[in-house]
Amino acid sequence: MSDSDAERAERAAFILGLRGRGIRDVAVLRALELVPRALFVDPTLRRHAYEDVALPIACGQTMSQPSLVAAMTEALALTAEHAVLEIGTGSGYQAAVLSHLASQVVTMDRYRALVSEAQVRFKVLGLRNVTAFLGDGTLGLPARAPFDRIIITAAGTELHKALVDQLKPGGLLVAPIGEARQVQTLRLFTKEATGLVAKDLMAVRFVPLVPGVATTL
């Protein structure tokens, strides 16, 4: 079996595993199948690329396990007309998955190194509808707002008003809510005329959402 054949077999098993973990949205599964997770992991961890595990990345951050990426993506109920804001670029894997489902994806991170590496990966994959920015995720990106969907991949005890303000009426926002270094609750928020309506999805663990831009990385 050639390397390419082995990779295809590995990715096919990966998708079957996600189906076994309850991911049913065919479009979401196809998006995950199209994005080579191996490109986003440290080469020393390549053997774990298609396992359902979180992996460490640069700047002391982590890359969520694929089943969680899939579940968060599924919760957004994306269509090809949607513009998405992601807070917490990390490796860029989640944004790459979103790019196959949405019209435009804007992703932000406080670490320059992560943004630069993600931009290179997006270019390698030819993803023209993803833009990565260095910035304070708690402030969002007003210049590109409003957004149909917002996904936050770092935890806080509450939602920042700036992000809620940048969500369109009727829009959806997915975020982990809770204290750092503790079990948090992944919640889906719908922006209705009377305010946000929340639905608890699952227990999760994410790194904290830290304000500001890192000065050294």
Side-chain angles (χ1 to χ4, degrees):
M1 182 181 291
S2 69
D3 287 347
S4 59
D5 288 340
E7 168 97 4
R8 280 194 290 270
E10 191 175 28
R11 286 163 74 173
F14 169 68
I15 296 303
L16 284 174
L18 291 174
R19 289 180 65 89
R21 291 176 173 86
I23 304 303
R24 292 289 179 263
D25 189 307
V26 174
V28 171
L29 289 167
R30 179 59 176 161
L32 277 117
E33 186 176 17
L34 289 171
V35 179
R37 192 169 186 251
L39 179 65
F40 295 82
V41 306
D42 187 291
T44 63
L45 299 173
R46 168 62 184 82
R47 66 188 183 279
H48 301 297
Y50 294 105
E51 296 175 9
D52 194 37
V53 294
L55 295 173
I57 59 174
C59 305
Q61 304 301 293
T62 57
M63 181 180 183
S64 294
Q65 61 266 40
S67 61
L68 180 54
V69 171
M72 293 179 76
T73 303
E74 199 170 52
L76 290 174
L78 290 164
T79 72
E81 292 75 38
H82 286 149
V84 184
L85 171 65
E86 179 193 31
I87 304 301
T89 306
S91 69
Y93 180 67
Q94 174 76 79
V97 170
L98 296 172
S99 75
H100 289 285
L101 297 162
S103 172
Q104 293 292 325
V105 179
V106 176
T107 181
M108 299 178 64
D109 207 288
R110 68 189 304 267
Y111 294 105
R112 189 179 306 275
L114 293 181
V115 171
S116 297
E117 290 170 7
Q119 287 172 330
V120 170
R121 292 173 181 130
F122 299 153
K123 186 173 182 180
V124 168
L125 293 174
L127 302 179
R128 299 179 181 275
N129 63 335
V130 187
T131 310
F133 290 92
L134 177 70
D136 182 344
T138 67
L139 302 178
L141 201 65
R144 296 288 292 269
F147 298 95
D148 300 287
R149 303 287 189 264
I150 296 178
I151 178 171
I152 304 174
T153 60
T157 55
E158 60 184 6
L159 294 178
H160 290 269
K161 184 177 183 300
L163 297 177
V164 176
D165 289 346
Q166 290 170 42
L167 183 65
K168 286 183 180 179
L172 302 179
L173 185 154
V174 175
I177 303 297
E179 299 285 350
R181 293 175 291 278
Q182 295 184 20
V183 176
Q184 302 126 11
T185 301
L186 186 67
R187 287 188 181 139
L188 172 66
F189 297 89
T190 304
K191 189 174 185 179
E192 298 188 353
T194 55
L196 291 178
V197 175
K199 176 184 178 182
D200 290 354
L201 300 179
M202 66 181 74
V204 292
R205 283 185 181 270
F206 278 86
V207 297
L209 179 59
V210 179
V213 174
T215 57
T216 57
L217 296 172

